[in-house]
Amino acid sequence: MLVVGSLALDSIETPFGSVRDAVGGSAVYIAAAASYFLSPIRVVGVVGGDFPRHGLKFLEDRNVDLDGLEIVRDGKTFRWSGRYHYDLNERDTLSTELNVFEKFNPKVPESFRKTRAVCLGNIDPVLQLSVLDQLEKPRIVVCDTMNYWIERKNADLKKTLERINVLILNDSEARLLSREPNLIKAARVIRSMGPSVLIIKKGEHGALLTTEQLVFSAPAYPMENIFDPTGAGDSFAGGFVGWLARTDDMSEENLKRAVIYGSTLASFCVEKFSIDGLRDITYLQIQDRFRSFRELSRFDED
Ligand code: AMP
């Protein structure tokens, strides 16, 4: 499985504390979450000379293949800063500095070109397309994006959407992209842009999986201790694609399982700051939490 996305230094404020220049980025969270399902996960991305060694080691320890990572020694890593409200579903982006991403021209190593599944993490859609162009027909193409790119690179994003199977968005981004307030109608509009499967994330209220025939509503795991929601969406995407890539099965029942695995990995991610929540989970813990999702919305008819 191949992942392209940002590798970042994040400065985050939550009501419980703040961090500066913590390791983050869409590719980091996606690769770490997916690595619990299959290995190696191959990453294509770029960092500057200031990206800390422990960030790379974190990925290497999870058996992530970094042959497709470019290190620009005299460049600065992508930086993002955000502030969460008391309601952790609300977040303001304070700044986005593209830095080394501004001139990044992704090169997929020869050995990465045949890949079954690819996750196009949140990144400039022009770069997502360039990576797709270098691959030999992957079976599963999942894409994540955000308001930043919907607003700034709308036409390019639409070209990417024509070439993917699954799009993952949050609810406000789905409304922004479709210009439709009702999420079920928005899902139909977005699926007509290309992806046959659309997942709309709703923060702590779960996620909606939609295809032409299916609407499946997955709960989020009820958590008492959420420290840092950063990376929850990416961990969701990583768990989702990781499961699909492992099973190579795009049936509706398996898509539902993948959504629950995505929610499971997201729930581990938010328990700690930055990438720490994805550091040492066991497969047994993942299975336990996956199973407990079933109890959340099961009820008897009488
Ligand atoms: P999430 O909380 O899953 O939506 O993702 C948060 C991660 O996305 C952070 O680690 C950021 O570094 C990264 N990020 C934020 N904005 C962008 C952007 N415009 N392009 C690429 N990555 C971004």
Side-chain angles (χ1 to χ4, degrees):
M1 171 180 156
L2 183 125
V3 177
V4 59
S6 54
L7 294 98
L9 293 174
D10 291 338
S11 296
I12 303 157
E13 291 171 35
T14 80
F16 317 109
S18 60
V19 278
R20 278 196 71 78
D21 290 345
V23 170
S26 51
V28 173
Y29 285 107
I30 293 169
S35 72
Y36 285 95
F37 296 106
L38 76 169
S39 76
I41 306 294
R42 294 153 164 176
V43 165
V44 171
V46 64
V47 291
D50 54 353
F51 194 75
R53 175 74 209 129
H54 66 84
L56 300 179
K57 182 159 184 317
F58 166 79
L59 291 171
E60 284 162 358
D61 287 348
R62 299 260 5 111
N63 204 14
V64 174
D65 185 335
L66 296 177
D67 280 356
L69 179 69
E70 191 181 323
I71 301 177
V72 183
R73 294 270 165 227
D74 57 353
K76 273 179 81 182
T77 297
F78 171 85
R79 275 176 169 72
W80 175 78
S81 74
R83 182 187 295 135
Y84 290 87
H85 297 201
Y86 195 61
D87 171 355
L88 292 172
N89 293 301
E90 297 273 330
R91 154 171 108 185
D92 299 324
T93 288
L94 301 177
S95 65
T96 302
E97 290 175 40
L98 296 178
N99 297 333
V100 284
F101 269 103
E102 256 172 291
K103 292 203 182 127
F104 180 48
N105 183 12
K107 281 178 214 68
V108 178
E110 199 57 49
S111 58
F112 286 13
R113 293 195 177 178
K114 257 200 191 122
T115 182
R116 190 177 335 143
V118 51
C119 188
L120 305 171
N122 175 24
I123 196 180
D124 187 334
V126 174
L127 302 180
Q128 292 177 323
L129 261 187
S130 152
V131 166
L132 268 190
D133 284 340
Q134 296 174 58
L135 300 179
E136 291 177 24
K137 287 209 178 78
R139 270 171 53 77
I140 305 168
V141 185
V142 179
C143 176
D144 187 10
T145 192
M146 73 185 293
N147 49 358
Y148 187 88
W149 303 114
I150 297 171
E151 282 162 354
R152 287 172 176 76
K153 295 277 178 99
N154 199 279
D156 295 306
L157 179 63
K158 290 208 171 126
K159 283 188 209 145
T160 306
L161 297 186
E162 286 170 14
R163 309 230 340 237
I164 65 169
N165 311 112
V166 184
L167 179 67
I168 302 179
L169 284 177
N170 71 30
D171 44 3
S172 63
E173 292 157 355
R175 292 188 175 105
L176 184 68
L177 179 61
S178 64
R179 297 173 187 276
E180 166 59 59
N182 177 283
L183 287 183
I184 301 297
K185 287 186 188 158
R188 200 177 312 126
V189 172
I190 295 171
R191 288 199 313 272
S192 75
M193 297 173 184
S196 55
V197 180
L198 176 71
I199 296 171
I200 301 179
K201 298 168 290 178
K202 296 184 291 172
E204 64 176 345
H205 306 299
L208 215 54
L209 162 69
T210 74
T211 69
E212 203 182 329
Q213 299 85 18
L214 172 78
V215 177
F216 173 67
S217 172
Y221 191 73
M223 314 265 313
E224 278 200 38
N225 298 313
I226 301 181
F227 280 107
D228 175 11
T230 309
D234 301 315
S235 307
F236 176 95
F240 175 85
V241 196
W243 178 255
L244 286 186
R246 176 187 173 124
T247 51
D248 197 16
D249 171 2
M250 292 282 280
S251 67
E252 285 186 357
E253 285 313 308
N254 204 47
L255 285 169
K256 291 181 194 172
R257 276 179 220 118
V259 167
I260 302 296
Y261 275 116
S263 305
T264 301
L265 269 297
S267 73
F268 283 110
C269 172
V270 301
E271 280 177 324
K272 296 185 182 155
F273 258 109
S274 177
I275 52 178
D276 285 345
L278 296 181
R279 207 177 275 283
D280 305 303
I281 327 168
T282 64
Y283 199 64
L284 208 63
Q285 283 174 296
I286 293 175
Q287 286 304 327
D288 268 357
R289 202 166 280 186
F290 175 83
R291 288 199 191 98
S292 65
F293 269 88
R294 227 181 323 183
E295 299 308 317
L296 279 175
S297 46
R298 186 161 60 189
F299 60 92
D300 289 333
E301 219 172 300
D302 322 290

